Amino acid sequence: MHILLVILVCLVASFFAGIGTGFVGMSAAVAITPILMGFLGMEQFEATAIALAADILASLTAAIIYGKNKNIDIKNGLIILISVLVFTIGGTIAARFVSPTVMGWGTVITVLIMGLKLLIFPSDTKKNADKQLSKRRKILVSVGFGALIGFVCGFVGAGGGMMLLLTLTVLLGFEMHKAVGTSVFIMTFSASLGSGAHILLNKFTGNPISGDIGNERFFLVLGLCMVFTLIFSFVGSKIANKLSEKMLNLLSGIMLVCIAVTVLFVGMIF
């Protein structure tokens, strides 16, 4: 396969992944995995391994930038963080018995729904501030949805960014910037745990790792996606923190719809 095509595919996949992470805390695996499988013919496991490596760096980069802009709410996000991490292990174990294809399509549909939600019903700072939840309800929502998100993270080895964003904005009343910042902060840990458990279980449960992992093309694509995604995540986070709430909702909605349509197209064609 021509080297220029490989670079172009990695650039496009990383652009969607990095900007998606920087703007709305989207897991990089949502864009990278299907695009690498569709255009480069990679096996699912090797494409996922590459996406996970890019996901961790992209989330960490975005979290640092959002943190510097004081857009991470650790106090109100601590319970959901713990719940996500605990149930990530359960999802990883369940993934050994069920094909991840169904969960993968569910993630893409969630991205599409979130994009349409931001365009049609944008997150409103004033309404979110007025959404007073009891302490008990916040705990129940955080534990319950954190468990669901953690299960998905472990199941597909990704960060669960879109589900986190939906939970933080719609159910817990976070304004958009703090929701994204808190989401990427949580994803830094969930993606790391999900990817580590995902790879270790493949190694120790008798499931052979794809033979393509370790060859020259794998490391080339891995390096390109990690570098490109990190760069685009940095740029996306910088831009997002300077945007107004209204503009961030609009641009994020358009971007998520474009990502979902692109990934769905790739999945149907290939």
Side-chain angles (χ1 to χ4, degrees):
M1 185 173 291
H2 200 284
I3 184 65
L4 290 180
L5 176 60
V6 173
I7 294 174
L8 179 61
V9 171
C10 291
L11 183 64
V12 172
S14 300
F15 171 79
F16 282 134
I19 296 296
T21 300
F23 266 66
V24 290
M26 184 190 80
S27 173
V30 173
I32 290 179
T33 300
I35 290 178
L36 294 186
M37 291 174 64
F39 288 101
L40 297 183
M42 288 188 139
E43 296 295 328
Q44 182 170 10
F45 186 83
E46 59 175 339
T48 301
I50 291 170
L52 291 171
D55 202 3
I56 296 168
L57 284 180
S59 298
L60 178 60
T61 301
I64 291 173
I65 294 174
Y66 276 89
K68 287 183 177 179
N69 286 274
K70 299 181 179 180
N71 280 322
I72 294 180
D73 189 344
I74 298 177
K75 180 181 178 181
N76 289 307
L78 183 60
I79 295 177
I80 194 169
L81 168 62
I82 295 172
S83 182
V84 166
L85 295 182
V86 170
F87 281 89
T88 293
I89 302 298
T92 305
I93 296 172
R96 312 315 308 152
F97 306 99
V98 184
S99 170
T101 302
V102 174
M103 192 67 77
W105 282 108
T107 302
V108 175
I109 292 173
T110 302
V111 171
L112 179 60
I113 292 174
M114 188 64 196
L116 293 174
K117 184 265 178 190
L118 291 176
L119 289 174
I120 301 172
F121 304 106
S123 177
D124 188 292
T125 303
K126 186 177 185 302
K127 288 182 179 179
N128 287 341
D130 292 340
K131 187 183 290 186
Q132 297 296 326
L133 299 179
S134 67
K135 185 176 180 180
R136 181 173 178 273
R137 184 179 177 185
K138 283 184 178 180
I139 293 175
L140 290 175
V141 169
S142 296
V143 172
F145 281 87
L148 175 62
I149 295 166
F151 184 86
V152 173
C153 293
F155 197 94
V156 300
M162 286 298 91
M163 296 178 68
L164 274 170
L165 190 64
L166 276 170
T167 302
L168 293 174
T169 56
V170 176
L171 299 177
L172 294 177
F174 279 55
E175 59 97 2
M176 188 66 174
H177 287 89
K178 284 195 181 300
V180 176
T182 306
S183 175
V184 292
F185 174 75
I186 294 173
M187 279 174 55
T188 302
F189 297 96
S190 62
S192 299
L193 181 60
S195 62
H198 186 71
I199 293 172
L200 286 174
L201 273 180
N202 270 278
K203 182 176 182 180
F204 295 113
T205 56
N207 296 294
I209 294 177
S210 170
D212 289 329
I213 289 185
N215 67 9
E216 292 182 3
R217 189 185 73 152
F218 173 81
F219 284 115
L220 173 63
V221 175
L222 174 65
L224 289 172
C225 285
M226 288 178 68
V227 172
F228 287 154
T229 305
L230 189 151
I231 292 172
F232 286 124
S233 176
F234 177 83
V235 173
S237 301
K238 282 285 189 180
I239 295 174
N241 277 279
K242 294 180 180 179
L243 294 175
S244 65
E245 188 84 356
K246 182 178 180 180
M247 185 58 67
L248 181 60
N249 275 275
L250 175 62
L251 293 180
S252 297
I254 294 173
M255 180 194 60
L256 288 176
V257 171
C258 290
I259 291 173
V261 171
T262 300
V263 172
L264 287 171
F265 174 77
V266 171
M268 290 186 291
I269 295 299
F270 297 97

